[in-house]
Amino acid sequence: MLSFSVDGIVTALGKGYYIFVYGIGVIAMLLSIIAFQFKHRVTIILSNFFGQTCWVLYFLLQGDLTSAIACALSAVMLAVFSKKDKWKWAASPFTIGLFIGLISGFSLLSFEGWSDIFPLLAGVFAVIANSRSDEKRLRQFSFFWCLFWLLNSVFKMYPVAFANDLLCTISTVVALIRYREKREKNVP
């Protein structure tokens, strides 16, 4: 199993280490929460990409290689799907299947109990959501992506992740309401 230690960084930075790590975590949370409030698909995906990149750094600085790799896979997926208008292969069913396979495979390799179904489902919905061309569909599938991460946080009792996941779920609902299609009234 891969592992590494951050003891040298903790010792070198002292109390500044915690300020630095949690500062990165706050930035990651903010980027994840505001992402769904953007109007355009590419901006939503890029905000999530930068959020995932911050989560990678956050988890690496915490010594959590498994979570860092999972977030890195998500960041790569987001980078690919942000270019799907220019790279035709990025929109192919093969690419979508590849990312679902990678995220599912990684989740299954680290599966320990029944509650580990939530990250697996969240990963699948993340791929489906970010592969959509339409902002409305992206937000609709993202709701389930965020909801499954929220359920993961509840059942595994992760208070910081719970706050992030709850706010992200609320943000998707707010964005769905904010950007809903207005029905035009028939004028006789």
Side-chain angles (χ1 to χ4, degrees):
M1 173 165 276
L2 295 174
S3 67
F4 64 97
S5 174
V6 293
D7 294 339
I9 297 170
V10 174
T11 303
L13 295 177
K15 290 185 182 192
Y17 165 80
Y18 296 102
I19 294 168
F20 182 63
V21 168
Y22 291 119
I24 290 170
V26 167
I27 292 168
M29 285 176 69
L30 290 173
L31 288 167
S32 299
I33 293 165
I34 66 166
F36 302 106
Q37 297 307 312
F38 291 112
K39 186 172 186 171
H40 300 288
R41 179 188 158 279
V42 172
T43 316
I44 295 167
I45 289 176
L46 287 176
S47 182
N48 274 319
F49 169 78
F50 290 120
Q52 286 298 311
T53 303
C54 288
W55 283 120
V56 170
L57 184 57
Y58 173 84
F59 286 124
L60 283 175
L61 289 170
Q62 293 282 18
D64 185 349
L65 188 60
T66 302
S67 294
I69 291 171
C71 290
L73 282 171
S74 292
V76 169
M77 172 203 60
L78 289 162
V80 169
F81 287 145
S82 74
K83 297 288 190 178
K84 74 182 254 175
D85 294 336
K86 293 182 182 180
W87 300 338
K88 296 303 175 199
W89 60 267
S92 76
F94 173 77
T95 304
I96 294 167
L98 175 69
F99 281 117
I100 287 175
L102 284 172
I103 290 173
S104 297
F106 187 75
S107 294
L108 290 172
L109 285 175
S110 61
F111 206 89
E112 292 180 6
W114 70 270
S115 61
D116 286 336
I117 193 71
F118 297 125
L120 172 69
L121 292 171
V124 169
F125 275 100
V127 174
I128 294 168
N130 291 294
S131 66
R132 304 297 95 192
S133 296
D134 174 82
E135 291 87 358
K136 180 181 177 183
R137 297 286 179 244
L138 187 152
R139 288 185 188 98
Q140 287 172 335
F141 284 110
S142 292
F143 170 77
F144 293 104
W145 165 24
C146 297
L147 182 63
F148 284 122
W149 276 121
L150 177 63
L151 290 170
N152 183 62
S153 300
V154 167
F155 285 103
K156 294 182 180 176
M157 293 188 242
Y158 293 153
V160 174
F162 173 80
N164 177 66
D165 300 334
L166 177 64
L167 292 172
C168 284
T169 304
I170 291 169
S171 180
T172 58
V173 171
V174 168
L176 283 166
I177 293 168
R178 183 176 174 202
Y179 292 112
R180 71 183 178 275
E181 294 172 10
K182 308 272 193 241
R183 292 185 182 165
E184 294 183 32
K185 294 181 182 178
N186 292 337
V187 179

